[in-house]
Amino acid sequence: MVKNVVHTMPATPSPWKTIIFILLGLWIIASLVALTFTVSGPADSFGNVAVIPIHGIISVGNPTMFASDMADSNSIVKLLEQAEKAPEIKAIVLDINSPGGTAVASEEIANAIKRSSKPTVALVREVGASGAFWVATSADTVFASPISITGSIGVIASYLDFSEFIEEHNVSYERMVAGRYKDIGSPFRDLTPEERAMFQQELDAIHQYFIEVVAEQRNLSVEHVQKDATGRIFLGREALELRYVDHLGDKYDVKSFLEKELGSNVTFVAYQEEQSLLDMLTQLKNNAGFSIEMPKQTMKVWT
Amino acid sequence: MAKGMAKKPDFHIVRIEATFARRVLAFSIDILILLFIVLTPLFKVFEQMVPQDYTLAREYMMAPEHAPLIASLFLVMGLFAMTYFALLEWQLQSTVGKLFLGLRIESEIGRPSLWQCMVRSFFALPVFPFVLLWVIDPLMMLFWKSRQRLSEILSRTKTIHYAVFFYNNGTMEE
């Protein structure tokens, strides 16, 4: 370690004049250099159509920490709101590649799309079925490939029944409930006929709601949608004939369509959220908590 | 000395190698000056060019038609930062942050030349290979026996702290 004992500081002229001179000089030169950069505002020259991906299973929140194949309705609604507020965005495209998801999450996204005052286009890629079909039909215009998988207007809440398995292995299910339907759908016991009927009634109600919403969104009669609402899928080509889809095509066709609609050039800009490590860790902590509710696997109603 | 007056403490000015903490603090002050004074006009350009929304900004900067312009802007900012450090260290053997912390730049071969000050400041350039100095320099400051950055070894300079030590009642205090 350098260590000298001296008795006076080395003589230096007052530094502040030099400092001010140098800082001011640099600032002036930086200002002149800044003028040489041609500036056109991002609003005008870049990205006037937001593309929001809806990829993977649609749900409220992400149930697993590293679920990159889930479409979180909270995030998508937030992105829709951001695109709605951004003055440079003139239209919104929903890039859909999803087999569906939970009913509530699908409805949340569909409602957010319907609230938008800007033109919305849903582009169905490989799959836009069930809950994703619900979302797609809420847009002003729907595009799909001729061989996209769409439809699947139905509701599912199937689950594995382990009651016989645990019985074979001498494990018993101690039923402790207050409220006789509290453990309805528990995988550790059979459904009673009464419970089955009740459960089916709820599913039918959701199914009917799904049908009515699609009919309203596509300006079709309920009867028209009802006959297709067997849960079957249909390809994009067939969906066009059935009037669930407006056009067949891909992203380039969507671009041409929007250019005609908007009367200007279209530049797509992706709107997507990325999870930080802190977000993932927060989810892990939240999902580890206990809750007083029916077993998750029985109450997951999927469209 | 008059009766009843307290004895003035003696003091010595000791020339020692600057500690890591002191250097980091001095650097932080310099960075603040760069961000809020020198580079402000260029940041304004950046704000006008790039959409403020985070999602859009990322997309914009990565688009092939915009990436060269963004890179040029960052390079120009780096050049200004390098000029700030080089000019001040050449003229005053110190920067604003170093002045506040009592630090000076000294050369092994006399007063540091402009070229030595420039070599010391290459870390400010956001291009390869200089970006490697962002990792190498702090590590060397912490673990190298002479506590010099790689840039300092190459430029044959040191950062020195002139510490004032007072002797008060027989004990030395800084």
Side-chain angles (χ1 to χ4, degrees):
Chain A
M1 187 167 158
V2 172
K3 192 167 179 172
N4 302 130
V5 177
V6 300
H7 291 281
T8 54
M9 288 282 287
T12 52
S14 168
W16 298 108
K17 274 189 199 166
T18 311
I19 287 168
I20 289 168
F21 179 74
I22 288 174
L23 286 180
L24 194 58
L26 285 174
W27 186 86
I28 291 169
I29 296 170
S31 303
L32 293 171
V33 169
L35 290 174
T36 67
F37 277 90
T38 50
V39 174
S40 55
D44 301 327
S45 70
F46 181 74
N48 58 354
V49 173
V51 178
I52 298 175
I54 301 178
H55 295 170
I57 297 169
I58 299 169
S59 71
V60 178
N62 276 330
T64 62
M65 194 169 112
F66 295 107
S68 58
D69 58 344
M70 306 289 285
D72 174 16
S73 63
N74 292 326
S75 302
I76 293 167
V77 167
K78 200 161 104 178
L79 290 170
L80 282 162
E81 286 165 358
Q82 277 174 4
E84 181 67 20
K85 279 189 210 148
E88 66 270 18
I89 297 296
K90 307 298 177 204
I92 300 170
V93 172
L94 300 136
D95 180 336
I96 296 174
N97 191 23
S98 164
T102 64
V104 170
S106 305
E107 189 188 33
E108 282 178 359
I109 298 172
N111 287 344
I113 293 168
K114 286 189 279 197
R115 280 196 298 270
S116 173
S117 58
K118 298 182 181 176
T120 51
V121 176
L123 171 62
V124 177
R125 312 283 297 277
E126 287 179 1
V127 184
S130 200
F133 181 74
W134 185 333
V135 168
T137 52
S138 66
D140 298 327
T141 313
V142 184
F143 274 76
S145 159
I147 48 174
S148 294
I149 294 173
T150 67
S152 186
I153 307 172
V155 184
I156 183 171
S158 306
Y159 63 95
L160 292 177
D161 178 356
F162 288 101
S163 55
E164 286 183 25
F165 179 83
I166 63 172
E167 205 178 306
E168 277 172 25
H169 288 80
N170 293 325
V171 175
S172 58
Y173 171 65
E174 275 303 319
R175 188 165 185 265
M176 299 285 294
V177 294
R180 63 183 172 151
Y181 299 124
K182 191 65 180 174
D183 64 342
I184 186 172
S186 167
F188 304 119
R189 67 168 184 81
D190 286 334
L191 272 178
T192 65
E194 187 193 355
E195 286 171 342
R196 187 179 295 277
M198 209 170 80
F199 215 162
Q200 188 62 50
Q201 201 177 1
E202 303 302 330
L203 292 180
D204 291 339
I206 297 170
H207 189 210
Q208 188 59 30
Y209 183 77
F210 189 177
I211 292 167
E212 286 166 7
V213 165
V214 170
E216 186 212 322
Q217 285 171 176
R218 295 297 303 165
N219 285 327
L220 300 166
S221 66
V222 170
E223 293 72 32
H224 176 105
V225 179
Q226 189 105 42
K227 67 174 170 41
D228 298 318
T230 56
R232 74 174 185 96
I233 55 167
F234 19 89
L235 298 182
R237 188 178 6 222
E238 194 183 350
L240 180 70
E241 288 164 23
L242 294 169
R243 288 154 55 200
Y244 295 118
V245 158
D246 297 301
H247 304 282
L248 297 178
D250 56 17
K251 207 166 173 181
Y252 298 98
D253 298 303
V254 170
K255 188 168 189 261
S256 307
F257 170 79
L258 281 171
E259 281 173 348
K260 279 197 206 107
E261 283 287 302
L262 300 174
S264 65
N265 280 341
V266 158
T267 308
F268 290 130
V269 57
Y271 266 57
Q272 51 201 40
E273 267 193 358
E274 277 187 5
Q275 279 197 318
S276 66
L277 184 60
L278 186 61
D279 290 335
M280 289 184 206
L281 291 172
T282 308
Q283 273 173 24
L284 184 66
K285 179 195 77 85
N286 289 344
N287 290 338
F290 290 96
S291 55
I292 302 168
E293 64 179 24
M294 296 191 62
K296 281 199 168 101
Q297 60 270 29
T298 64
M299 280 310 286
K300 211 60 147 207
V301 174
W302 299 89
T303 53
Chain B
M1 225 167 147
K3 201 174 170 182
M5 270 181 76
K7 189 182 170 199
K8 262 189 168 173
D10 286 337
F11 68 91
H12 292 279
I13 298 171
V14 181
R15 184 175 159 276
I16 54 176
E17 276 166 17
T19 59
F20 179 77
R22 207 169 262 272
R23 294 179 70 170
V24 166
L25 198 51
F27 183 71
S28 305
I29 295 170
D30 289 321
I31 289 296
L32 286 173
I33 289 170
L34 277 168
L35 288 177
F36 290 107
I37 301 176
V38 176
L39 298 178
T40 305
L42 295 169
F43 276 120
K44 289 271 182 245
V45 172
F46 185 78
E47 279 168 27
Q48 284 172 8
M49 280 168 74
V50 178
Q52 291 308 292
D53 179 79
Y54 170 72
T55 315
L56 284 173
R58 270 198 49 202
E59 188 83 12
Y60 183 91
M61 288 197 281
M62 282 161 49
E65 63 269 27
H66 302 126
L69 190 60
I70 302 287
S72 310
L73 187 58
F74 281 127
L75 183 59
V76 167
M77 287 186 191
L79 283 168
F80 272 93
M82 185 182 144
T83 308
Y84 167 87
F85 285 104
L87 273 183
L88 281 174
E89 287 176 355
W90 177 48
Q91 285 295 305
L92 302 172
Q93 290 179 253
S94 197
T95 60
V96 177
K98 289 185 176 75
L99 271 175
F100 278 123
L101 275 296
L103 305 179
R104 275 170 70 91
I105 305 304
E106 291 185 357
S107 167
E108 292 169 10
I109 49 171
R111 192 188 161 92
S113 65
L114 179 58
W115 177 242
Q116 282 178 293
C117 295
M118 282 172 68
V119 170
R120 283 177 56 85
S121 310
F122 277 153
F123 70 88
L125 297 175
V127 290
F128 184 84
F130 305 111
V131 290
L132 296 175
L133 293 170
W134 298 357
V135 175
I136 296 171
D137 273 356
L139 287 175
M140 287 188 69
M141 269 201 288
L142 280 169
F143 301 115
W144 200 251
K145 56 183 178 195
S146 65
R147 300 281 189 252
Q148 283 174 291
R149 296 187 287 127
L150 178 61
S151 320
E152 290 179 323
I153 293 172
L154 293 171
S155 63
R156 298 172 70 187
T157 55
K158 278 186 195 303
T159 305
I160 302 297
H161 175 207
Y162 281 86
V164 179
F165 285 88
F166 289 90
Y167 282 97
N168 197 3
N169 294 331
T171 58
M172 194 155 87
E173 302 161 353
E174 189 175 358

